[in-house]
Amino acid sequence: MTVQVALPGRRIDQPVGIDLVVSYYTVMTVALVSGFGLLGFLAYWIRKACSNGSRYQYTALEPDSMGQERMELERKARQHAQNACKHYLRFCPRYALLQHLNDIGSRVDKHWFVVRDGSVKTERLLTLVPKNPKSVLECTPDTRRTILDLFLTLQHPYIYPVLDVEFVEGATDPETTFITLVLPFNSKGSLKDLIYKSCWHDDWSDKYGQRSEGLPLSQIQRLGRQILEALLFLKEKKFPHDCNLHSGNVILQNGVAR
């Protein structure tokens, strides 16, 4: 015969071990919560002590201040590039400056100008970009002739030609060297301009904000084939692979991708 003893708060048929299990998990839960609370308090105390012990107090710049500072830097860079372009044209009377274009590309240190080529009486696109300080390229007349000869060997219907190259010292900073390229002027813009139906000479930050509807499949096939043929030609000429190929660097001329 088994004798069952009724304890307060428990049914007569409930095992005694259940209370022990419940009590164990209750104690463990309280201990964990207390531990996390203690860790949080210590973290807060350490952070407060470090901030109070700091010698300087820093505050984030206001958005307006940051915007004004960025605009001022861009204005100075633009003026610096324009001075360098005028300095170059002063010693190269073949070209005459017509217009300093907006930032039509995403590269922040690149500038675009429309010039008039007096030898053929037509407009050209002149680009100007500072030489990378890490570049091992020597900006000498021999280097210029070598680069021009290289571009002359890249005559292909689907490769946009480079007409002239020059190294220009900064007008206000002689230590800065700009690389100048002269290209055919094209009023149709790039493949990216076609995709987004944007005006080629608008500012880059304003051109591609809207959603594009894309291009017809037949046009994609035709332009894609032309780009692939140009890449195969460069490979045959053992020209270094261009890792910066994108729709903004593909120029459209008379419906042809170059």
Side-chain angles (χ1 to χ4, degrees):
M1 177 182 298
T2 302
V3 178
Q4 295 180 342
V5 180
L7 297 178
R10 186 191 309 116
R11 299 195 312 272
I12 192 170
D13 57 345
Q14 184 177 3
V16 178
I18 293 180
D19 277 349
L20 296 177
V21 173
V22 172
S23 299
Y24 172 79
Y25 282 108
T26 301
V27 171
M28 290 298 296
T29 302
V30 172
L32 287 174
V33 172
S34 301
F36 283 122
L38 180 60
L39 288 175
F41 174 78
L42 289 175
Y44 170 78
W45 182 82
I46 293 174
R47 182 178 179 182
K48 184 177 181 180
C50 292
S51 62
N52 290 336
S54 177
R55 183 178 178 182
Y56 302 103
Q57 296 293 332
Y58 298 96
T59 56
L61 293 174
E62 294 294 332
D64 291 343
S65 301
M66 294 179 63
Q68 292 176 0
E69 182 179 357
R70 180 175 60 84
M71 290 177 61
E72 180 63 18
L73 291 175
E74 291 178 352
R75 186 193 66 79
K76 289 182 178 179
R78 185 176 175 87
Q79 185 62 45
H80 189 196
Q82 184 169 343
N83 291 338
C85 180
K86 291 180 178 179
H87 179 69
Y88 163 63
L89 297 178
R90 190 177 301 118
F91 297 96
C92 185
R94 174 180 174 179
Y95 304 111
L97 178 62
L98 297 181
Q99 183 182 2
H100 188 173
L101 296 172
N102 296 323
D103 295 332
I104 60 177
S106 60
R107 186 167 176 175
V108 295
D109 59 349
K110 189 173 184 178
H111 299 268
W112 294 261
F113 303 86
V114 179
V115 297
R116 182 170 182 80
D117 188 343
S119 63
V120 291
K121 301 186 185 320
T122 188
E123 295 180 352
R124 303 294 192 193
L125 180 67
L126 185 148
T127 66
L128 188 145
V129 62
K131 177 190 172 186
N132 191 327
K134 297 181 180 180
S135 174
V136 297
L137 184 70
E138 295 183 1
C139 300
T140 63
D142 290 339
T143 302
R144 175 181 177 271
R145 283 192 294 269
T146 301
I147 294 176
L148 279 175
D149 292 340
L150 175 62
F151 283 133
L152 287 176
T153 64
L154 300 180
Q155 300 294 325
H156 191 274
Y158 303 140
I159 294 181
Y160 208 60
V162 175
L163 305 177
D164 202 356
V165 180
E166 191 57 82
F167 305 117
V168 184
E169 291 185 355
T172 58
D173 184 9
E175 295 183 358
T176 302
T177 300
F178 291 92
I179 300 176
T180 301
L181 297 181
V182 178
L183 312 168
F185 179 78
N186 177 41
S187 60
K188 298 300 181 182
S190 66
L191 176 58
K192 192 170 186 177
D193 292 325
L194 175 66
I195 294 173
Y196 284 88
K197 296 180 174 58
S198 59
C199 188
W200 70 274
H201 55 71
D202 286 344
D203 195 276
W204 180 84
S205 59
D206 300 328
K207 288 196 293 184
Y208 309 123
Q210 73 280 8
R211 185 178 179 85
S212 170
E213 297 180 358
L215 301 177
L217 179 59
S218 59
Q219 192 173 21
I220 294 175
Q221 292 173 336
R222 177 171 53 83
L223 296 176
R225 178 182 60 81
Q226 295 169 356
I227 295 172
L228 288 175
E229 288 190 18
L231 292 175
L232 289 174
F233 172 78
L234 293 176
K235 183 178 180 180
E236 292 174 359
K237 292 290 185 178
K238 301 186 184 305
F239 197 79
H241 177 65
D242 186 5
C243 299
N244 195 31
L245 178 62
H246 55 80
S247 59
N249 284 341
V250 177
I251 304 300
L252 293 181
Q253 189 176 39
N254 299 323
V256 175
R258 306 187 73 183

